[in-house]
Amino acid sequence: MIARETKTAKVQANYTYRQSVNLSELNNRGSAQGEYREVRDIIFSPRQERTEQLVGKPSNTLAHLQLTDEDFRDIREIQPFLLTEDQAFSYETTYRGEEPVDGVECFVIRLRPRQILDGQRLFEGMIWVAESDFSILRSSGQAVPQLLTTKSENLFPHFTTVRQKVEGDFWFPSLTFADDTLPFRSGPQRIRLTIRYSDYRKFGSDSTITFK
């Protein structure tokens, strides 16, 4: 599984794509009160260095939530989670059974951080691993740790990320979604998060795959 994920990461590193983020605050009736929207293209610079570029200006009408550096880091690193060789030592795994995902037979594995160092962001939850080639097809869990002090609360939702085939048998993130209630001391706040990964394009190629 680790070797497969590492190879997937190397293949994906040769692709550009678009990441569209929509975070909504919801009231007790499930209606949006405010939202944050942004679109970024993950591209290659003229020097062939991988970089990010905002598409337009982010829209922010959030009334109760304030996005932090950790939130944006999770959007970039934890929600589109890849369990590569350089990350594997941070986790312990527990086999939880077998379950199909979209008709593909999968092993279900629980991941837990062995230790969380100061400033580190990690994933805790479940992954679904294809029995045929050990590709991760789905992850569901939470970015950790929650950051709580006497003066501040930085809470993070449970989410699910699903993948789609892009090149051959390699699966890249296509959608992250979350609908969770964060238990702030001032009162619970329900949020809904959607992240779409689209327009995968191999660097130097004209071919494009878009997930609707």
Side-chain angles (χ1 to χ4, degrees):
M1 176 180 68
I2 305 303
R4 180 65 174 177
E5 280 286 277
T6 301
K7 192 171 184 179
T8 298
K10 289 180 179 178
V11 172
Q12 185 178 325
N14 291 315
Y15 279 78
T16 62
Y17 63 95
R18 174 163 289 188
Q19 186 183 57
S20 305
V21 179
N22 184 4
L23 173 68
S24 298
E25 300 169 330
L26 305 179
N27 59 25
N28 294 333
R29 293 175 291 181
S31 300
Q33 296 176 301
E35 65 179 7
Y36 176 84
R37 290 178 177 267
E38 73 164 40
V39 178
R40 289 177 184 262
D41 282 340
I42 288 72
I43 59 174
F44 289 90
S45 71
R47 296 183 179 180
Q48 298 187 11
E49 297 173 340
R50 199 166 174 82
T51 186
E52 295 183 2
Q53 179 176 287
L54 275 170
V55 179
K57 185 178 180 180
S59 171
N60 189 353
T61 59
L62 295 172
H64 305 289
L65 296 175
Q66 181 177 349
L67 294 175
T68 64
D69 290 342
E70 289 79 14
D71 290 310
F72 288 110
R73 186 174 171 186
D74 291 348
I75 288 170
R76 308 287 176 260
E77 301 175 9
I78 304 300
Q79 270 112 23
F81 177 69
L82 288 165
L83 185 61
T84 55
E85 289 176 354
D86 60 342
Q87 295 184 4
F89 72 93
S90 298
Y91 294 95
E92 59 183 33
T93 61
T94 305
Y95 174 72
R96 298 299 296 269
E98 299 178 22
E99 183 179 325
V101 173
D102 296 332
V104 179
E105 293 299 324
C106 293
F107 301 114
V108 184
I109 307 293
R110 178 173 178 80
L111 291 182
R112 295 186 64 184
R114 297 181 186 276
Q115 181 182 11
I116 304 177
L117 303 178
D118 186 42
Q120 197 171 25
R121 302 295 297 159
L122 295 174
F123 171 82
E124 182 172 343
M126 312 291 287
I127 56 174
W128 284 257
V129 183
E131 296 180 12
S132 58
D133 64 3
F134 301 106
S135 294
I136 295 178
L137 307 191
R138 177 184 295 172
S139 54
S140 185
Q142 190 174 34
V144 290
Q146 306 280 359
L147 301 176
L148 299 170
T149 70
T150 55
K151 295 183 178 180
S152 66
E153 302 169 278
N154 202 353
L155 307 181
F156 309 95
H158 287 82
F159 66 87
T160 296
T161 296
V162 296
R163 301 188 191 181
Q164 295 279 355
K165 282 187 180 180
V166 174
E167 177 181 307
D169 292 328
F170 290 100
W171 298 70
F172 296 173
S174 60
L175 174 67
T176 295
F177 57 91
D179 192 330
D180 199 7
T181 300
L182 304 180
F184 291 104
R185 287 189 288 261
S186 59
Q189 176 62 59
R190 184 180 171 191
I191 66 101
R192 182 176 292 146
L193 171 68
T194 303
I195 307 173
R196 298 187 184 277
Y197 315 83
S198 62
D199 298 336
Y200 280 105
R201 183 190 294 269
K202 194 170 185 178
F203 185 61
S205 171
D206 293 331
S207 61
T208 303
I209 297 176
T210 302
F211 300 118
K212 302 283 185 184

